[in-house]
Amino acid sequence: MRVKVLSRNPDDYVRETKLDLQRVPRNYDPALHPFEVPREYTRALNATKLERVFAKPFLSSLDGHRDGVNCMAKHPKSLSTVLSGACDGEVKVWNLTRRQCIRTIQAHEGFVRGICTCFRGTSFFTVGDDKTVKQWKMESPEYGEEEEPIHTILGKTVYTGIDHHWNEPVFATCGHQVDIWDEQRTSPKCSLTWGFDSITSVKFNPIETYLLGSCASDRNIVLYDMRKSTPLKKVILNMRTNALCWNPMEAFIFTAANEDYNLYTFDMRFLESPVMVHMDHVSAVLDVDYSPTGKEFVSASFDKSVRIFPVDKGHSREVYHTKRMQHVITVKWTSDNKYILCGSDEMNIRLWKANASEKLGVLAPREKAAMNYNQKLKEKFRFHPQIRRIAQHRHLPKSIYCQIKEQRIMREARRRKELNRRKHSKPGSVPFVSERKKHIVAVVK
């Protein structure tokens, strides 16, 4: 067996006497500068500072609704088309390029609870408080033609959410139970139920398209298989889940937005504990949506802010807020991975950049090369204290800042209490419970 060992000649670095100068190895290659690392550090520091200087994420506000925006949907074929539903039953179709409303429909009496587009992009579906499911044409009616739905389905109970299958003419609604509908029929193909409470949200898996997940008011997240016509399994959390979203790149991963201020990323095969707990919001999280790359997601919260989380990190990389913005109810990440849309209580839809300091428009090759170089430098030196401090610094509204401080004190008090209980109890009687398992009550299969 051959063992490789480091072999150095002591004559190269040992001084003969204490009075000799310390020998310094020199590289005579002119391409390698002796101060390359200090130079790169300075450039990384300047790049990080400039990133914060040019961080202006807010682009525009889409005004026109006369009540709070309750739900939104993206067009599957057109990047510039977005649909939104309000609390007064009005549905608007927006052109993001022109930043104006191109069509308004009085769809329902009461709230528009859910909206989704057909995978072909030819029509869209809405559900409302008037117990109806309506299908509308995507194109505006001809001159003189009345604005009427293609189909109307009258249900027995209020529908609270809707989602369309990714490649079949099938859609699912939720309310008292989860119903799977064919577009051509007026009665559901099958009804799925597990529990007796109202279901608030339902979502189809974009990869394994026969799977769907729902979250209910009784703190359950239930997974269904359309082929079996029966529920697969459910996980019960400490508090209610308001929305969930599947990762578009990893079939088994989904993220749930919870009432306890956290988001939980689960692997549906191992529901005993979440893959990651995302903690930064200071109030209930109301909606969540993944980026098309599957590496990040955006969340909307009752604390009047929007946060962007990397999938594998517990804390947000970005927080967006304005003085006028109220409770954010719905959020969407556009299909080109560049923009974020959020709808809030005070009747506005806001358009943000996904990367706060990104320069919009056409970039010259030199600009692109400089940006890539700066990005690599920031990644290389991201753990240096000064660069880390500047990169993570964010201005927050006073209300959020004070609540973060208060929650930190409460968390520390709980930790101290648990430490004291463990110290004054019999060894092993107070078990250590990881943060990931604290919030899971049970998994039922």
Side-chain angles (χ1 to χ4, degrees):
M1 188 175 79
R2 182 181 291 176
V3 179
K4 290 185 180 179
V5 294
L6 287 174
S7 174
R8 292 195 183 97
N9 186 1
D11 294 340
D12 294 339
Y13 55 89
V14 175
R15 293 181 294 177
E16 288 182 6
T17 68
K18 282 196 294 185
L19 302 174
D20 284 356
L21 291 174
Q22 190 80 42
R23 292 188 182 188
V24 179
R26 283 191 63 189
N27 191 329
Y28 292 99
D29 184 357
L32 295 174
H33 196 276
F35 299 123
E36 188 182 11
V37 174
R39 271 181 169 186
E40 284 191 341
Y41 174 77
T42 307
R43 285 174 185 165
L45 186 63
N46 290 339
T48 309
K49 287 177 181 175
L50 284 173
E51 184 189 38
R52 298 316 312 148
V53 168
F54 291 117
K56 293 181 172 60
F58 180 69
L59 291 173
S60 75
S61 171
L62 307 176
D63 309 330
H65 277 295
R66 292 171 296 179
D67 210 334
V69 182
N70 198 47
C71 54
M72 285 195 296
K74 295 180 285 190
H75 194 289
K77 300 289 171 75
S78 166
L79 281 173
S80 60
T81 308
V82 166
L83 302 99
S84 64
C87 298
D88 58 354
E90 204 172 60
V91 171
K92 283 184 180 286
V93 183
W94 302 89
N95 186 313
L96 294 181
T97 315
R98 289 185 282 161
R99 296 180 190 177
Q100 58 183 227
C101 175
I102 53 174
R103 189 176 167 201
T104 304
I105 307 164
Q106 187 58 46
H108 296 276
E109 292 171 17
F111 283 39
V112 179
R113 290 289 174 187
I115 185 167
C116 72
T117 52
C118 168
F119 71 97
R120 296 181 297 271
T122 53
S123 62
F124 64 93
F125 295 83
T126 60
V127 293
D129 276 356
D130 52 5
K131 303 181 183 177
T132 57
V133 181
K134 293 183 181 180
Q135 184 182 6
W136 307 82
K137 277 185 185 173
M138 193 63 80
E139 290 82 29
S140 301
E142 298 294 326
Y143 181 75
E145 195 181 333
E146 282 189 27
E147 188 78 79
E148 285 186 351
I150 306 169
H151 298 299
T152 303
I153 300 167
L154 185 61
K156 294 175 184 173
T157 56
V158 173
Y159 296 110
T160 53
I162 186 167
D163 194 40
H164 202 283
H165 197 280
W166 287 80
N167 48 29
E168 285 179 25
V170 170
F171 64 93
T173 59
C174 62
H176 179 62
Q177 61 191 11
V178 172
D179 293 321
I180 311 291
W181 305 77
D182 194 304
E183 282 185 18
Q184 307 303 322
R185 292 172 59 183
T186 54
S187 57
K189 283 168 58 176
C190 66
S191 296
L192 307 160
T193 183
W194 194 354
F196 301 99
D197 224 320
S198 63
I199 297 159
T200 52
S201 171
V202 64
K203 282 283 188 296
F204 275 101
N205 191 320
I207 303 168
E208 303 289 348
T209 50
Y210 46 81
L211 292 176
L212 62 156
S214 74
C215 39
S217 301
D218 55 359
R219 305 176 297 157
N220 291 345
I221 299 171
V222 187
L223 303 175
Y224 308 94
D225 191 332
M226 240 168 56
R227 300 166 302 179
K228 280 187 171 180
S229 303
T230 54
L232 290 174
K233 51 173 105 168
K234 71 175 173 182
V235 56
I236 306 167
L237 278 72
N238 275 331
M239 291 184 80
R240 192 181 81 179
T241 302
N242 291 314
L244 64 85
C245 188
W246 294 91
N247 190 321
M249 289 292 162
E250 295 180 81
F252 301 108
I253 304 295
F254 67 91
T255 298
N258 205 274
E259 200 78 15
D260 65 358
Y261 315 169
N262 298 338
L263 293 111
Y264 301 98
T265 298
F266 284 96
D267 186 324
M268 65 171 282
R269 297 165 294 181
F270 315 107
L271 290 174
E272 286 73 23
S273 74
V275 178
M276 185 61 68
V277 180
H278 309 274
M279 315 165 71
D280 258 347
H281 282 295
V282 292
S283 196
V285 190
L286 301 179
D287 199 13
V288 60
D289 192 41
Y290 264 93
S291 72
T293 59
K295 291 182 179 177
E296 293 181 320
F297 59 84
V298 61
S299 63
S301 172
F302 200 75
D303 64 12
K304 308 176 189 177
S305 71
V306 171
R307 286 184 184 267
I308 300 170
F309 290 86
V311 175
D312 55 348
K313 300 279 192 307
H315 294 284
S316 62
R317 74 159 173 86
E318 203 63 77
V319 54
Y320 294 158
H321 55 86
T322 67
K323 284 185 178 177
R324 275 193 62 204
M325 191 155 77
Q326 293 302 308
H327 313 305
V328 190
I329 297 171
T330 178
V331 72
K332 284 279 177 268
W333 198 309
T334 57
S335 302
D336 61 350
N337 199 31
K338 276 190 176 294
Y339 306 103
I340 285 165
L341 290 150
C342 70
S344 50
D345 253 358
E346 86 307 333
M347 306 177 279
N348 273 357
I349 296 168
R350 287 181 174 78
L351 184 65
W352 310 84
K353 285 192 267 188
N355 188 358
S357 58
E358 185 182 15
K359 187 182 175 186
L360 300 178
V362 181
L363 294 177
R366 280 184 68 182
E367 275 183 304
K368 207 175 278 185
M371 277 175 56
N372 292 338
Y373 177 58
N374 286 340
Q375 189 61 38
K376 288 294 176 191
L377 285 178
K378 284 183 284 188
E379 284 175 22
K380 182 177 178 179
F381 293 97
R382 71 182 184 274
F383 295 115
H384 284 244
Q386 199 173 358
I387 289 177
R388 190 176 180 181
R389 181 184 63 79
I390 294 166
Q392 289 184 348
H393 181 74
R394 296 290 180 277
H395 286 289
L396 290 170
K398 193 177 178 183
S399 58
I400 295 179
Y401 182 79
C402 292
Q403 280 175 292
I404 288 173
K405 208 166 151 186
E406 191 179 316
Q407 282 183 15
R408 195 181 296 127
I409 294 165
M410 287 161 66
R411 212 164 28 243
E412 184 56 35
R414 280 198 295 270
R415 192 191 66 79
R416 204 165 50 243
K417 182 179 177 182
E418 192 179 331
L419 203 70
N420 289 339
R421 280 184 62 203
R422 194 170 285 115
K423 198 187 291 180
H424 296 95
S425 302
K426 194 168 73 173
S429 61
V430 182
F432 287 94
V433 182
S434 71
E435 187 63 44
R436 294 182 185 185
K437 293 194 175 180
K438 271 180 194 172
H439 310 279
I440 308 296
V441 176
V443 176
V444 186
K445 294 181 183 179

